[in-house]
Amino acid sequence: MNQENLMKQFLIAGLLSVAAAGFGLAATGGDHGTKAEGGDCPAAALIAKWEKAAAQIAAMPAEKQEAVARAHATLSASCPVCKEAPATFAFLGKFLGSTVALDGLALAAHEPGSKSQAPVEIPQEIASAFEQRVAIGARGNELFAAFARAAAPAGKAECGSAEGHGASTSEAAPAKLTVAGAGKSFEAIAEEASRLTANWRGIPARAAALPAATRSELFAAMEVVKREVPTCDLAKETLTVLAGGLDRVLALDKTLAQHCEESSKAHAGELPVEHAQMKRAFQARTRATAKVAELLRVMEQTMTPEIFQGSSPKQTTARTY
């Protein structure tokens, strides 16, 4: 394998190897986590691949697991991508889980007998757009959870916590989302996404400055990971698919927002407080979603050997759900 291809695989595997700490945040979808129906889509295919990979990793002999753990430690200690990954994946898990939770709150608010149910007729196209939005959010969360199970198999959660970069599920798990607090929660998520994006934009300069000896150590560690772990190529593909899903929900959010504005004007002074809070939450989530989509695109661009050569990363194209 030539050095450029090796570095490409190293970058992808580095993300995989140190992300275990954040993956525990991936929720299962909850009572209202509607799954998209059937179909041949990138997310569904990736989930199956991650499940297969998780089984392969779990079946690795102890001596190979130890060798991979040592390689992971080397990557975590020296690679700027790996150093940013744990906090970023913890954040992505929080965002995806919060997205599903907000959809659950919205669905509960419109159940028969709900105190916050408004006497407003919802057009079929709007109901369909919301159903698609819910399904995509749940599917993305499901994909992230499959990613989690493969990247952090039983007994390997420590792989992402080198030098204090990791955080346990109990320490980092987000508080239960409420209608009243959802708006502020997503505003905070948007701010955090911007901060993380700035960190990732700075990675190429840090990578280009690595000494040759450090690069040699990273190449050697990557050889071990690439040989033993069957998931390197899936990591970047997962980010691409997640980004495509976010692009799709942003388009749906535009349709839903237009309906919300028209409905609010038509029923001014009649909507209950919960509906005003939900409107604010949806608006904040849309802004947060745009920021997270930008973060994913920067991550994809950064996962390239070009960053170790002082070159500008190339733009990638997101795949949709």
Side-chain angles (χ1 to χ4, degrees), residues 31-34 102-112 114 130 134 278:
D31 294 337
H32 300 286
T34 306
L102 181 59
D103 287 337
L105 291 174
L107 289 169
H110 288 82
E111 289 176 351
S114 171
F130 182 71
V134 171
M278 190 67 72

Side-chain angles (χ1 to χ4, degrees), residues 62-75:
E63 62 272 17
K64 289 189 176 182
Q65 292 188 11
E66 292 175 2
V68 171
R70 289 193 297 270
H72 286 170
T74 298
L75 296 172

Side-chain angles (χ1 to χ4, degrees), residues 47-191:
I47 289 169
K49 291 178 182 179
W50 279 116
E51 290 174 347
K52 181 179 180 180
Q56 290 178 271
I57 293 172
M60 277 199 309
E63 62 272 17
K64 289 189 176 182
Q65 292 188 11
E66 292 175 2
V68 171
R70 289 193 297 270
H72 286 170
T74 298
L75 296 172
S76 298
S78 302
C79 175
V81 171
C82 299
K83 289 183 177 181
E84 291 296 337
T88 304
F89 278 100
F91 166 77
L92 291 174
K94 178 180 179 180
F95 166 73
L96 292 167
S98 296
T99 288
V100 171
L102 181 59
D103 287 337
L105 291 174
L107 289 169
H110 288 82
E111 289 176 351
S114 171
K115 293 181 180 179
S116 61
Q117 187 176 18
V120 178
E121 186 72 21
I122 301 178
Q124 179 58 42
E125 63 271 21
I126 299 302
S128 177
F130 182 71
E131 288 174 1
Q132 291 182 54
R133 216 295 183 193
V134 171
I136 292 173
R139 181 183 286 161
N141 205 42
E142 184 182 0
L143 172 57
F144 193 87
F147 193 174
R149 289 189 294 271
K156 302 303 292 182
E158 72 278 9
C159 290
S161 59
E163 299 184 353
H165 292 297
S168 70
T169 302
S170 61
E171 293 173 335
K176 183 177 179 180
L177 202 70
T178 64
V179 175
K184 289 185 177 180
S185 293
F186 280 102
E187 288 169 2
I189 286 173
E191 292 177 1

Side-chain angles (χ1 to χ4, degrees), residues 1-18 71-83 203 207 210 214-226 232-233 235 302-305 307-308:
M1 180 181 297
N2 63 41
Q3 190 177 72
E4 180 170 324
N5 286 337
L6 181 60
M7 179 57 75
K8 182 177 180 180
Q9 296 298 339
F10 147 66
L11 288 165
I12 297 172
L15 278 174
L16 178 69
S17 68
V18 299
H72 286 170
T74 298
L75 296 172
S76 298
S78 302
C79 175
V81 171
C82 299
K83 289 183 177 181
I203 285 178
L210 286 175
T214 299
R215 296 189 194 190
S216 295
E217 292 177 356
L218 296 178
F219 291 144
M222 180 51 222
E223 284 281 19
V224 175
V225 174
K226 177 62 178 176
C232 297
D233 293 334
T302 304
M303 291 167 58
T304 169
I307 66 171
F308 286 83

